[in-house]
Amino acid sequence: MSNFDVIGIGNAIVDVIGHANDTFLDHMGIEKGIMQLIERDRAEVLYAAMQDRTETPGGSVANTIAGLGSLGLSTAFIGKVKDDALGRFYAKGMEDAGTAFPNLPSASAEAPTSRSMIFVSPDGERSMNTYLGAGADLGQGDVSEALFEGGKILFLEGYLFDKDDGKTAFSAAAQLMRAAGGRAGITLSDPFCADRHRADFQRLVAEDMDFVLGNAAEWTTLYETDDLDAALKQASAVCETVVCTCSGDPVILIRGDERIEVPVRKVVPVDATGAGDQFAAGFLYGFTTGQPLETSGRMGVVAAAEVIGHIGPRPKADLKSLFAAEGLI
């Protein structure tokens, strides 16, 4: 349980993916293109209304960790699931995919295993309806110190900042990784996270993180400005490496005085689920293996383009082969 290349901490969510047109979304009161938090009763209604379902172990950082595992890195994911059917499915799915899942399904967890009903529109946009069950209750007691021995990279999920236990778990894990000689980073996850937890996020970026990933809306929300460059300037003044995805515009990567912009290839999405998660996987693969900043960014773009070309949030193609075709490895 040590010497992992990348350890992720996030909400362990079973993704339930199905198709739906705009009429269905309107009828069910689903706001298109965003992540909505829902209660257990609502989750059951939406699950029953899905015409087709693909179930997979998910969660933002878990998807990133799975992508890194497919690239050959040794990975572990710290999450919390209940000892129920979905929880056992989740734990087995992570292990089967080659990612260590050290926390066994918990019989004492109060809430059921987290799940997200994801409706994919004909234009590829996804509308996420997430029930934060047991996964959101992860705390410092779920973080094993032994796991970090010899570790290189820790990657955290902003969504877990909704509870104080998640905040303390993040700080403890970052300290453990740094004490082991590794580096720690976070994905901001969502503008709503940045808005709800602005002060804590800003402190985390400034004091505990070596790298931070976010999109343009998350960065401008975090620093309360409409000027993206001003937001990134504030972030890069206190954090070693800052990355900003900008939808169809070039990705911005900043490290010290180095600023790189990597063009994004235009791809008609089949399913946009996991685009940011797999960008993070590609970027972190380059980051972990010591690639230049531009190469890491280009790896992220390639990985994101692959995942939006099919249903599901995890890679189906061999990402290393795609990197090689682009001359990146």
Side-chain angles (χ1 to χ4, degrees), residues 177-209:
M177 180 56 79
R178 284 181 155 181
R183 293 174 289 180
I186 192 170
T187 171
L188 297 178
S189 293
D190 190 284
F192 295 111
C193 292
D195 187 45
R196 283 195 300 268
H197 309 291
R198 182 173 289 108
D200 285 326
F201 263 135
Q202 288 184 359
R203 181 201 60 76
L204 197 71
V205 170
E207 298 177 9
D208 293 332
M209 297 295 103

Side-chain angles (χ1 to χ4, degrees), residues 25 30-35 119 121 125-128 190:
L25 298 181
I30 298 170
E31 189 170 349
K32 184 176 179 179
I34 69 165
M35 191 279 286
F119 294 92
S121 308
E125 189 59 83
R126 81 271 193 262
S127 305
M128 304 171 65
D190 190 284

Side-chain angles (χ1 to χ4, degrees), residues 195-313:
D195 187 45
R196 283 195 300 268
H197 309 291
R198 182 173 289 108
D200 285 326
F201 263 135
Q202 288 184 359
R203 181 201 60 76
L204 197 71
V205 170
E207 298 177 9
D208 293 332
M209 297 295 103
D210 300 294
F211 62 93
V212 182
L213 279 64
N215 63 32
E218 290 157 5
W219 282 117
T220 54
T221 299
L222 181 60
Y223 290 103
E224 294 184 282
T225 176
D226 293 329
D227 187 337
L228 177 59
D229 284 337
L232 295 179
K233 184 176 180 179
Q234 290 186 67
S236 60
V238 294
C239 183
E240 178 184 328
T241 302
V242 170
V243 180
C244 178
T245 57
C246 303
S247 189
D249 293 327
V251 177
I252 301 169
L253 306 101
I254 303 172
R255 182 162 56 202
D257 294 331
E258 183 182 14
R259 178 185 169 115
I260 301 292
E261 294 194 9
V262 175
V264 174
R265 63 184 62 191
K266 303 295 182 181
V267 177
V268 178
V270 174
D271 173 15
T273 309
D277 304 339
Q278 295 313 318
F279 171 84
F283 169 79
L284 286 175
Y285 178 77
F287 188 78
T288 304
T289 57
Q291 302 300 317
L293 196 59
E294 180 176 1
T295 300
S296 299
R298 291 178 62 193
M299 287 177 168
V301 168
V302 170
E306 188 281 335
V307 80
I308 66 175
H310 57 75
I311 296 292

